[in-house]
């Protein structure tokens, strides 16, 4: 049975709200390993799940709306630029590799890595130097680890959502 339009709109709204809430929650966590810019990527969890349970354009809209809401609420122009570039590159890569046999965990890990690559690209442009690329190995490892963690949670969430959807729709 097809989901109603009202259920789709409600799910979309809940996903945007959850992504924004997780962004806020993450901003409260004193997560510091002595490496600036490293975050858990909790809001990206919502985007990965949305990529698997919703239409791709809806997942992209959730990512972009969340980035703008969080950037305007908790950040500034530069944080918005970093997040938007990282988020769009991350989404594009996750969308493309989702079509392969790569697991949701692998997709999330690539998303975490690409998010950091996108941010390094913006940093190199803003700072007008390629020297910032020396920081890339640290960010790639961080993106790999956080992508793994978010991928595991995404996998569990998608599996449970699938079970709920089969029984209620």
């Amino acid at each position: 049975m097809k989901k109603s339009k009202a259920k789709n709109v409600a799910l979309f709204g809940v996903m945007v709200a959850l992504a924004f809430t997780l962004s806020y929650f993450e901003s409260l966590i004193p997560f510091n390993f002595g490496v600036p810019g490293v975050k858990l990527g909790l809001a990206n969890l919502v985007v990965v799940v949305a990529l698997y349970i919703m239409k791709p354009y809806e997942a992209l809209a959730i990512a972009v709306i969340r980035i703008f809401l969080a950037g305007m609420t908790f950040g500034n122009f530069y944080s918005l630029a970093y997040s938007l570039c990282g988020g769009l590159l991350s989404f594009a890569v996750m969308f493309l590799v989702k079509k392969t046999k790569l697991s949701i965990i692998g997709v999330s890990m690539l998303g975490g890595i690409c998010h950091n690559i996108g941010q390094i690209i913006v940093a190199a442009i803003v700072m007008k130097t390629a020297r910032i690329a020396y920081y890339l190995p640290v960010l790639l490892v961080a993106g790999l680890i956080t992508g793994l963690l978010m991928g595991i949670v995404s996998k569990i969430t998608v599996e449970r959502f699938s079970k709920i959807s089969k029984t209620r729709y």
Side-chain angles (χ1 to χ4, degrees), residues 63-115:
V64 171
I65 291 168
R66 191 271 312 162
I67 289 167
F68 274 101
L69 286 173
M72 300 305 269
T73 306
F74 316 122
N76 56 40
F77 172 77
Y78 291 105
S79 64
L80 182 61
Y82 284 101
S83 293
L84 189 59
C85 189
L88 290 176
L89 180 60
S90 173
F91 183 85
V93 169
M94 290 191 302
F95 172 74
L96 292 172
V97 298
K98 177 185 176 264
K99 297 178 180 187
T100 67
K101 294 189 184 268
L102 197 61
S103 72
I104 189 170
I105 296 170
V107 168
S108 177
M109 291 169 72
L110 278 174
I113 290 168
C114 289
H115 194 277

Side-chain angles (χ1 to χ4, degrees), residues 8-24 43 46-47 50 54 57-70 74:
N8 286 339
V9 169
L11 178 61
F12 183 83
V14 167
M15 296 294 268
V16 168
L18 182 58
F20 181 64
T21 302
L22 289 173
S23 288
Y24 174 68
V46 178
V47 176
M54 301 173 81
Y57 69 87
E58 293 170 326
L60 176 60
I62 290 167
V64 171
I65 291 168
R66 191 271 312 162
I67 289 167
F68 274 101
L69 286 173
F74 316 122

Side-chain angles (χ1 to χ4, degrees), residues 87-158:
L88 290 176
L89 180 60
S90 173
F91 183 85
V93 169
M94 290 191 302
F95 172 74
L96 292 172
V97 298
K98 177 185 176 264
K99 297 178 180 187
T100 67
K101 294 189 184 268
L102 197 61
S103 72
I104 189 170
I105 296 170
V107 168
S108 177
M109 291 169 72
L110 278 174
I113 290 168
C114 289
H115 194 277
N116 290 337
I117 291 171
Q119 290 184 330
I120 286 289
I121 291 169
V122 172
I125 293 168
V126 168
M127 299 170 83
K128 298 179 182 167
T129 180
R131 291 180 138 199
I132 193 74
Y134 290 120
Y135 190 47
L136 191 56
V138 173
L139 288 179
L140 293 180
V141 170
L144 189 70
I145 293 168
T146 59
L148 172 66
L149 296 173
M150 295 307 111
I152 291 168
V153 176
S154 295
K155 183 177 187 290
I156 293 166
T157 304
V158 168

